[in-house]
Amino acid sequence: MKNKKGFIATSLIYSFFLVFLMLMVTILANSVNNRILVGRIKEDIRADIDSEVSFVVDELESRTYTAGEVIRFAGEDWNVVSDKGSTVVLVLNRSLTKQEIVTSIGQEGNTRIYGTCNTDDACQVRACYNATTTSTGGEQYCWYYSSSSFRIPAWNPTASEISSNYGQTIVSAVTRAWFETHQSLQRVLNKGKLVLMNINDGTLNTTGYVRLPSTADVSSASSWASVKQPFHVLQKVSNTQTRIYGTSLQTVNSNTAAYIRPVIEVHEG
């Protein structure tokens, strides 16, 4: 009788052990299967991000482009400024919005910076602070702290150039920050699709992957009259004057507000 009870006890122990093993095998199998499924989802997401099966166009077809035509690239609509053969110069087919501007420079509702903001959320921005005294000015955006004179507006001056009477404009800070935080443009930049441009703003020479329309751009293209105006033009005139395009090229005070339309240059193919 004792042997029979011992056999039953041993059988129960082995039965529980087998059930435990089966549960462990089931849990591990489910875990492995879940990891495989998650891995496949991650690969699909990565493929989308890398544009392997993405709707974001990150390559320009090798063909002849006409000035003024609208093309889709890096998640945005662009107007063709000029076809240079192996590269194409493009200008954003809209103006930067207030949210993009606020995100870029971290200020909102400051009339020293903003001009008119329209119902479509496009905002005009000044190149330099709209200020008449040093107490409301700022050293970075064209005003001295130490006197009532303007710094010379410049696209992207170095620290030594700033100490020599140059100041980065608000427009430059907004445009460059917008480009640096634009995920699709950063992806095509990393893929080597963008051209490093020589940027001459009329006072300083520099390089970069984004700029404003130049005076040559607006003088040669025939499609500017149909876009939102006025918008900032790259070249500055003096320490108190800059240029905008509003039906024609105009010289205005540096604190005049206008829209921002970034320009890039893209390799074909």
Side-chain angles (χ1 to χ4, degrees):
M1 188 70 177
K2 289 183 179 180
N3 290 337
K4 188 174 182 180
K5 289 182 179 179
F7 176 76
I8 293 173
T10 302
S11 299
L12 287 173
I13 292 172
Y14 278 109
S15 297
F16 283 125
F17 180 67
L18 288 174
V19 170
F20 173 76
L21 286 179
M22 290 176 65
L23 286 173
M24 290 298 296
V25 170
T26 302
I27 292 170
L28 289 174
N30 286 334
S31 177
V32 171
N33 186 57
N34 288 337
R35 291 187 63 181
I36 292 173
L37 291 175
V38 170
R40 289 176 180 173
I41 292 172
K42 287 183 178 179
E43 288 300 321
D44 289 342
I45 293 173
R46 187 176 294 112
D48 283 339
I49 293 175
D50 290 339
S51 295
E52 295 174 6
V53 290
S54 178
F55 62 88
V56 177
V57 177
D58 61 5
E59 185 172 296
L60 286 187
E61 179 186 357
S62 295
R63 64 173 177 85
T64 300
Y65 291 87
T66 305
E69 76 170 284
V70 179
I71 64 172
R72 188 74 177 172
F73 179 74
E76 299 278 4
D77 287 332
W78 304 82
N79 289 101
V80 174
V81 176
S82 62
D83 187 338
K84 300 171 68 173
S86 60
T87 65
V88 182
V89 179
L90 305 174
V91 60
L92 191 65
N93 187 34
R94 63 177 179 85
S95 302
L96 295 191
T97 66
K98 184 174 184 179
Q99 184 57 53
E100 290 171 325
I101 297 166
V102 170
T103 300
S104 298
I105 57 176
Q107 296 195 49
E108 182 175 6
N110 188 338
T111 56
R112 291 183 297 147
I113 294 175
Y114 294 96
T116 302
C117 291
N118 291 333
T119 53
D120 62 358
D121 206 27
C123 267
Q124 295 184 20
V125 175
R126 309 176 195 282
C128 299
Y129 277 131
N130 186 28
T132 56
T133 65
T134 54
S135 62
T136 57
E139 186 171 351
Q140 182 180 17
Y141 299 133
C142 310
W143 280 87
Y144 276 119
Y145 281 125
S146 56
S147 72
S148 59
S149 62
F150 272 104
R151 286 184 177 275
I152 299 173
W155 175 252
N156 186 28
T158 64
S160 62
E161 288 166 340
I162 288 176
S163 65
S164 300
N165 199 27
Y166 293 94
Q168 178 177 237
T169 65
I170 301 170
V171 175
S172 168
V174 170
T175 307
R176 292 172 58 246
W178 171 82
F179 173 79
E180 290 167 0
T181 56
H182 195 295
Q183 293 183 359
S184 296
L185 285 174
Q186 290 303 303
R187 184 169 67 248
V188 297
L189 172 63
N190 292 334
K191 290 189 173 185
K193 299 298 183 180
L194 299 184
V195 177
L196 183 64
M197 299 177 287
N198 293 317
I199 301 174
N200 184 341
D201 65 6
T203 55
L204 296 176
N205 294 314
T206 185
T207 58
Y209 291 99
V210 65
R211 61 173 173 82
L212 297 177
S214 67
T215 55
D217 292 334
V218 298
S219 298
S220 61
S222 59
S223 61
W224 297 104
S226 61
V227 302
K228 188 181 294 295
Q229 301 164 2
F231 57 83
H232 286 283
V233 176
L234 177 66
Q235 282 81 4
K236 310 302 182 295
V237 179
S238 66
N239 61 334
T240 60
Q241 292 182 316
T242 187
R243 286 194 170 98
I244 61 173
Y245 185 90
T247 68
S248 63
L249 193 61
Q250 301 170 16
T251 297
V252 297
N253 290 335
S254 294
N255 59 356
T256 301
Y259 298 109
I260 301 176
R261 300 189 66 209
V263 170
I264 59 175
E265 186 171 347
V266 185
H267 292 287
E268 292 186 19

